[in-house]
Amino acid sequence: MKKLLYQFDTDPHPSVFDNVVGFDGGADRITAYGGVNAGNVGGLVEGAIFTRSPKDKKNTAIFVGGSNMPQGESVLAAIRAKFFAKFRVSVMFDCNGSNTTAAAAVAWLTHGRALAGKRAVVLAGSGPVGQRAAALLAREGAQVAITGRKHAVVQGACEAVKARFGTHIEAIEAPTNDDRAAALEGAQVVLATGASGITLLEAKQWQENPSLELIADANAAPPAGIVGVGSSDRGASSHGKILFGALGFGALKLALHRACIARLFEQNDLLLDAEEIYGIAKGMVAT
């Protein structure tokens, strides 16, 4: 019985990255669809749930991806609405790598230490990775803020996090490096999740901050999102801070993605979203 993975991507062209990791995670066949939305996914889901016998349905699974997380969440809801009784298959949600990237970063930030009561700031955090990271940091008991260039956009991201996770996130408008440095006053944790090619913080702005303890940069391509953080840093110490770079926690992100794909084929009723993926990440970190 072949392990079949159906990749539903909200973008016109399905992600090659997700396709490759799907095979590395154990899928025998991957069929990737682009341009998937809540209105057209129903027929695809029916094809997945009405074919194999109950004992064999675990060999069929669905992966939801794409760069637009709100659209992806609508697709996920439409998929789940098609399930009933034993007519269901396991699903993984990871639009834009949001869950696996955020889970890997926060798992390393919390590894061997507690974040409860600490102030954490997610720079340029209005996107999928930033929103998920903010939610996970809040679940660890941190007081979390998201920064962005436009207050309306950041506020919208915070409201999306509250609607999905029921947690309050502070919105901070910070269009410049100086604004972002000011937003870090009194913070112990900072995670940069901005777009590639954009510097969000200069080295001296974190090096001279007396409260910061943990610094992570999710940008793997130069220039660094946070200057002075090496992409391969994994718990490196500098100026009294502990540093994590994108490649430093990226190894866990890839291993986590593969492990999640493998789990999809263990049963036919598994849903892997932020909470479940983060739980797996915490069990894998430093192993």
Side-chain angles (χ1 to χ4, degrees):
M1 182 68 65
K2 298 293 185 183
K3 296 177 181 177
L4 306 180
L5 181 65
Y6 291 91
Q7 179 182 340
F8 298 158
D9 201 303
T10 60
D11 294 336
H13 299 291
S15 166
V16 173
F17 181 98
D18 292 336
N19 198 273
V20 172
V21 181
F23 278 113
D24 291 346
D28 294 314
R29 298 283 189 274
I30 300 178
T31 304
Y33 295 87
V36 177
N37 57 53
N40 63 24
V41 75
L44 300 174
V45 177
E46 290 173 354
I49 65 176
F50 287 131
T51 46
R52 289 170 159 173
S53 66
K55 67 180 180 66
D56 291 327
K57 288 188 191 298
K58 68 179 183 180
N59 294 301
T60 302
I62 293 171
F63 178 92
V64 179
S67 61
N68 190 308
M69 190 161 65
Q71 289 183 10
E73 289 177 326
S74 296
V75 169
L76 178 61
I79 291 170
R80 298 182 69 186
K82 284 289 182 179
F83 293 165
F84 66 97
K86 295 183 179 180
F87 291 90
R88 61 187 68 238
V89 297
S90 290
V91 183
M92 178 178 175
F93 179 86
D94 198 29
C95 277
N96 214 36
S98 55
N99 284 331
T100 50
T101 303
V106 178
W108 270 113
L109 288 170
T110 60
H111 181 58
R113 61 183 70 87
L115 299 187
K118 296 185 182 295
R119 183 167 184 266
V121 179
V122 183
L123 301 179
S126 61
V129 175
Q131 288 186 36
R132 286 308 205 235
L136 296 176
L137 288 165
R139 285 174 62 88
E140 290 290 344
Q143 299 171 3
V144 186
I146 288 176
T147 76
R149 290 176 295 174
K150 297 181 180 180
H151 185 269
V153 174
V154 184
Q155 186 61 44
C158 292
E159 291 172 358
V161 173
K162 185 174 183 179
R164 169 62 179 81
F165 296 94
T167 187
H168 172 74
I169 306 295
E170 180 187 1
I172 300 177
E173 183 178 52
T176 70
N177 286 8
D178 287 342
D179 293 329
R180 288 183 280 270
L184 295 179
E185 292 181 8
Q188 288 77 41
V189 183
V190 59
L191 168 62
T193 61
S196 297
I198 299 176
T199 297
L200 299 172
L201 206 64
E202 299 296 337
K204 67 178 182 178
Q205 292 176 314
W206 62 264
Q207 292 171 354
E208 297 174 359
N209 184 308
S211 64
L212 281 177
E213 302 170 2
L214 299 167
I215 299 171
D217 183 6
N219 185 14
I226 300 179
V227 178
V229 177
S231 62
S232 297
D233 285 346
R234 186 187 301 162
S237 179
S238 177
H239 293 79
K241 330 291 186 187
I242 299 174
L243 312 182
F244 295 91
L247 299 182
F249 62 80
L252 175 60
K253 181 262 188 291
L254 283 170
L256 174 63
H257 194 152
R258 291 191 291 264
C260 289
I261 294 294
R263 292 199 184 194
L264 293 177
F265 299 110
E266 295 177 357
Q267 59 194 77
N268 75 309
D269 57 357
L270 189 64
L271 173 62
L272 296 181
D273 201 345
E275 298 89 340
E276 296 81 9
I277 291 173
Y278 181 54
I280 297 169
K282 292 192 75 171
M284 294 177 62
V285 68
T287 59

